[in-house]
């Protein structure tokens, strides 16, 4: 609310005298003019500065988040990567735009010490708070990724692959959340985002008959349960946990024609079962939609598993994305 003493269209005695001495012709009170100038600033400039930490920020969707968020100079962005020295695309982007609000830190899902060190560094910069943690990093591909669980050459290779996926995607992300949770609880926005996969949906598995990517899908499904557990425990504190599927995003590296061929084949395969499938999308579109959802999600949705438009993936939303 505006104080009553600055809403008058006429100058007070002190401002009248000042305007007379300096030959100013402005009639409204200078106090009102100053207050109006501040009051009418765009709302975004008066908002509290937000801080984001994004894992897996060296490329793909993670880098897309960094690019989008860094464009706002009032936002502090922590780009967490497995290996700082090899994150060439991230460095090129930050150096090329001379961003001062992006901090590149090491945080390897398989190295708990690096995760803790990253959270400590973030705490130093933000004075112990964090608004949004986006858990994007994940192990996706292995040599035997297309094998079904009974097709592995031996028990050892099966165990090794399943453990690798679980240790990285499930336990690694849990370690990340645990390390940054104190900062989120002390923050103003209190949002922990997990980038999930439609492959983790049991309903999708039943309706599509997909048997590939078992290790990846199982590790992501376990992470969905972890998200619900966190949401249940911290609901009373207002901390929001949300698992989002980003869509079929064009993140593959390679020659453009080969990449387009791959996605065209995938789209055709999916549309055979789901004609209304939206198709593959760009990183920019996926990130835009996810950030819009993150900004509007409330505690009522905490623990949910959703598409990037906010629809419940386990109901009818799963047919939109893969």
């Amino acid at each position: 609310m505006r104080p009553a003493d600055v809403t008058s269209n006429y100058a007070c005695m002190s401002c009248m005298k000042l305007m007379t001495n300096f030959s100013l012709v402005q009639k409204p009170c200078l106090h009102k003019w100053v207050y109006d100038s501040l009051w009418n600033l765009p709302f975004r400039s008066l908002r509290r500065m937000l801080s984001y930490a994004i894992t897996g920020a060296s490329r793909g969707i993670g880098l897309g988040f960094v690019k989008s968020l860094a464009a706002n100079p009032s936002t502090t962005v922590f780009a967490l990567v497995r290996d700082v020295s090899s994150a060439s695309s991230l460095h090129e982007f930050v150096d090329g735009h001379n961003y001062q609000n992006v901090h590149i830190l090491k945080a390897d899902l398989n190295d708990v010490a690096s995760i803790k060190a990253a959270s400590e560094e973030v705490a130093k910069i933000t004075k112990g708070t964090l608004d949004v943690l986006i858990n994007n990093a994940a192990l996706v591909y292995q040599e035997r990724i297309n094998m079904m669980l009974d097709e592995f050459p031996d028990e050892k290779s099966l165990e090794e692959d399943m453990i690798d996926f679980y240790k990285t995607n499930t336990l690694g992300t849990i370690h990340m959340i645990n390390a940054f949770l104190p900062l989120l609880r002390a923050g103003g926005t209190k949002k922990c985002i997990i980038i999930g996969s439609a492959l983790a949906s049991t309903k999708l598995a039943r309706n599509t008959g997909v048997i590939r990517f078992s290790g990846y899908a199982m590790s992501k499904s376990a992470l969905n349960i972890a998200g619900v557990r966190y949401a249940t425990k911290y609901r009373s504190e207002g901390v929001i946990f949300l698992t989002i599927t980003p869509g079929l995003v064009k993140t593959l590296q390679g020659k453009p024609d080969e990449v387009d061929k791959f996605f065209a084949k995938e789209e055709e395969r999916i549309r055979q079962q789901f004609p209304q499938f939206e198709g593959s999308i760009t990183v920019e579109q996926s990130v835009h939609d996810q950030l819009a959802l993150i900004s509007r999600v409330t505690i009522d949705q905490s623990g949910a598993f959703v598409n990037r438009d906010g629809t419940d993936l386990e109901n009818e939303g799963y047919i939109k994305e893969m």
Side-chain angles (χ1 to χ4, degrees), residues 73-119:
S74 67
T75 299
T76 302
V77 182
F78 297 98
L80 309 181
V81 297
R82 182 175 56 187
D83 183 359
V84 173
S85 62
S86 65
S88 55
S89 297
L90 175 61
H91 283 291
E92 287 173 10
F93 167 73
V94 174
D95 296 340
H97 293 78
N98 195 30
Y99 282 120
Q100 303 299 315
N101 59 334
V102 179
H103 306 268
I104 303 175
L105 303 173
K106 175 182 174 64
D108 186 343
L109 290 180
N110 291 313
D111 182 358
V112 178
S114 73
I115 293 173
K116 291 182 176 180
S119 68

Side-chain angles (χ1 to χ4, degrees), residues 54 57 61-71 77 79 90 93-94 102:
I54 303 102
I61 296 174
L63 180 56
F65 275 117
V66 173
K67 289 181 177 181
S68 180
L69 293 167
V77 182
L90 175 61
F93 167 73
V94 174
V102 179

